[in-house]
Amino acid sequence: MFLVHASNRSRAVLLHRVCLPQQIVVHLSTLAEIPLERFQTAISPVVCRSLQQQGYAVVDNLFGPVWSSKLKQELEWLKEQGKMRLNSTHLVKQGGTELLEKQHVYEAELQDAEVQQVAPLCQRLNEDSTMRTMLSLFMPHLRLDSQAIKLQCNAGNGGCFPLHYDSDEQVDGRRVTAIFYLNTDWQPSHGGQLQLFPFPDDPVAIAPIADRLVLFSSCRMLHRVLPSLKERYCFTIWLSQSRRMHVESTPPLGHILQSGHDSLQQASQLLLRPDVRHHLSKLIYAEEWAKSIQESHPVSEARSATLAKHWNDVNKIKEALHNVQNILLPVMQNRKQYDEVMAGKRTAWF
């Protein structure tokens, strides 16, 4: 049975580490075929409706405890064999990308043949198209035609991720992020929750419990991972589309700000724009954003430069929106006011 959530009300999971010899891991993984057909019922109209209306959905009991345990064994063995490397925050700068290493968070990608050999179940998941087919079926404005999987171990000791968006429509084709958790006996005191910011609704903290699948908008859902005090395993699947969908043209931001429309009409037009919502999220959560950068990375010149850039961005956004931020910020933080201003218009999460 699948339990589908649109909130974080659920039980959670403590990690039990199982170190098995390689031959046992491979034997367990190949005893039978992982039941990928369960995606056909798990990715339901209800799940897709939650994705479209709230920007995220949660599915519990996807493969069952036995298969969840087998998947976890593959990640444990990868970590034991040194096949995982430290995860880094990618800082997009003019002329390229700079990497800022995180603390205590390790990852592996299935492009590596050695990783594929040790993690055959994860490789089988990566090859299967059922999940993206079901999402495209019930969300026809998406044309998901590829995916990539990243395997992750958070070693605890406060390992976490800063506030961020996974992608941008102008950068790559990622549209849906799917995270599958592998942590049995998790407790709230262990930390490591996935925190989503589906504003104007309140932030949601989702427990990383075993056999739980969380899906959300790659481009438009602000999120982070809270500091984890215990070892924590998961893998992330990014579902992408190579063909760019038609996007309605929008007037330049300056045109709206100088349009002469009344303030509420301006607010409505601005809040429908993903770029404006991204900027406003950085204003609303400026302090929390800075704190998350500090929590996720060791002290270094690169971290200091990243924090300085964050506050510089915040000041630029304040300057650009100074005429309307006194209207927009309260609306973005109050669901009732937001509904009144939007007058039935919905946020497009995809």
Side-chain angles (χ1 to χ4, degrees):
M1 181 179 72
F2 301 105
L3 301 179
V4 180
H5 306 272
S7 69
N8 63 328
R9 289 193 293 267
S10 62
R11 294 181 326 238
V13 243
L14 210 198
L15 251 140
H16 175 62
R17 184 171 177 89
V18 184
C19 296
L20 298 177
Q22 184 178 15
Q23 62 268 28
I24 296 179
V25 173
V26 174
H27 175 63
L28 285 172
S29 297
T30 54
L31 277 175
E33 187 72 13
I34 187 169
L36 297 170
E37 69 279 359
R38 295 188 184 181
F39 280 126
Q40 297 177 23
T41 47
I43 307 302
S44 65
V46 173
V47 166
C48 292
R49 193 177 309 120
S50 178
L51 269 171
Q52 290 177 298
Q53 293 180 357
Q54 301 180 97
Y56 72 98
V58 182
V59 180
D60 280 339
N61 306 325
L62 179 59
F63 294 128
V66 173
W67 287 105
S68 179
S69 176
K70 290 179 180 181
L71 286 162
K72 181 184 174 187
Q73 288 168 12
E74 291 189 347
L75 271 67
E76 288 176 321
W77 184 246
L78 285 169
K79 181 66 169 58
E80 284 292 325
Q81 294 302 302
K83 303 298 183 186
M84 289 187 170
R85 65 180 185 278
L86 275 173
N87 176 280
S88 296
T89 296
H90 291 244
L91 306 173
V92 179
K93 295 187 174 182
Q94 192 171 17
T97 301
E98 182 179 333
L99 300 181
L100 181 60
E101 279 192 348
K102 297 187 179 71
Q103 300 182 101
H104 315 302
V105 180
Y106 300 86
E107 65 182 17
E109 297 187 24
L110 283 170
Q111 298 161 335
D112 186 332
E114 291 186 20
V115 173
Q116 293 176 17
Q117 186 176 8
V118 177
L121 286 180
C122 293
Q123 175 64 10
R124 182 71 187 93
L125 264 173
N126 196 39
E127 294 169 347
D128 183 74
S129 63
T130 308
M131 179 163 56
R132 67 174 189 262
T133 298
M134 298 304 296
L135 287 166
S136 298
L137 175 65
F138 294 123
M139 302 170 69
H141 52 290
L142 294 178
R143 294 290 185 272
L144 303 171
D145 54 19
S146 65
Q147 62 195 48
I149 187 170
K150 185 169 285 187
L151 316 177
Q152 185 188 108
C153 170
N154 186 325
N157 300 307
C160 60
F161 281 69
L163 279 159
H164 68 284
Y165 296 90
D166 276 352
S167 184
D168 184 288
E169 284 95 338
Q170 308 303 317
V171 174
D172 62 43
R174 287 180 291 174
R175 293 296 177 267
V176 180
T177 299
I179 305 178
F180 188 73
Y181 292 105
L182 303 166
N183 310 302
T184 53
D185 304 320
W186 181 89
Q187 299 294 328
S189 61
H190 299 160
Q193 297 93 331
L194 172 68
Q195 189 172 33
L196 304 178
F197 295 79
F199 43 82
D201 291 327
D202 293 334
V204 177
I206 299 175
I209 66 174
D211 209 24
R212 166 170 285 176
L213 179 71
V214 182
L215 305 108
F216 58 88
S217 171
S218 302
C219 298
R220 302 181 182 180
M221 179 61 74
L222 180 65
H223 62 285
R224 71 161 304 192
V225 174
L226 297 173
S228 182
L229 302 180
K230 294 287 184 178
E231 199 170 54
R232 169 188 180 278
Y233 288 90
C234 70
F235 57 81
T236 300
I237 302 176
W238 285 289
L239 302 124
S240 305
Q241 59 187 31
S242 57
R243 187 176 66 176
R244 188 151 179 195
M245 304 299 289
H246 172 72
V247 179
E248 291 186 13
S249 59
T250 56
L253 184 58
H255 178 77
I256 297 176
L257 294 173
Q258 299 170 15
S259 64
H261 293 152
D262 68 76
S263 57
L264 290 181
Q265 187 175 357
Q266 275 192 357
S268 175
Q269 289 180 304
L270 291 169
L271 290 173
L272 287 173
R273 294 178 54 134
D275 56 342
V276 173
R277 293 171 65 83
H278 281 205
H279 292 326
L280 287 171
S281 70
K282 189 156 266 194
L283 286 185
I284 293 170
Y285 300 110
E287 294 288 347
E288 191 166 352
W289 205 304
K291 181 181 178 183
S292 74
I293 293 171
Q294 293 174 309
E295 290 175 335
S296 303
H297 306 97
V299 175
S300 67
E301 289 184 10
R303 190 185 80 168
S304 298
T306 301
L307 283 167
K309 183 181 182 302
H310 164 71
W311 289 114
N312 187 46
D313 289 345
V314 169
N315 290 329
K316 286 181 178 178
I317 295 166
K318 285 180 179 179
E319 184 178 346
L321 299 176
H322 71 278
N323 289 333
V324 291
Q325 65 175 307
N326 289 336
I327 298 168
L328 292 175
L329 293 182
V331 169
M332 284 289 289
Q333 298 176 83
N334 185 295
R335 183 76 210 202
K336 184 177 179 182
Q337 286 187 43
Y338 183 87
D339 290 340
E340 289 174 355
V341 169
M342 300 306 288
K345 297 175 185 173
R346 284 191 173 275
T347 298
W349 287 104
F350 296 93

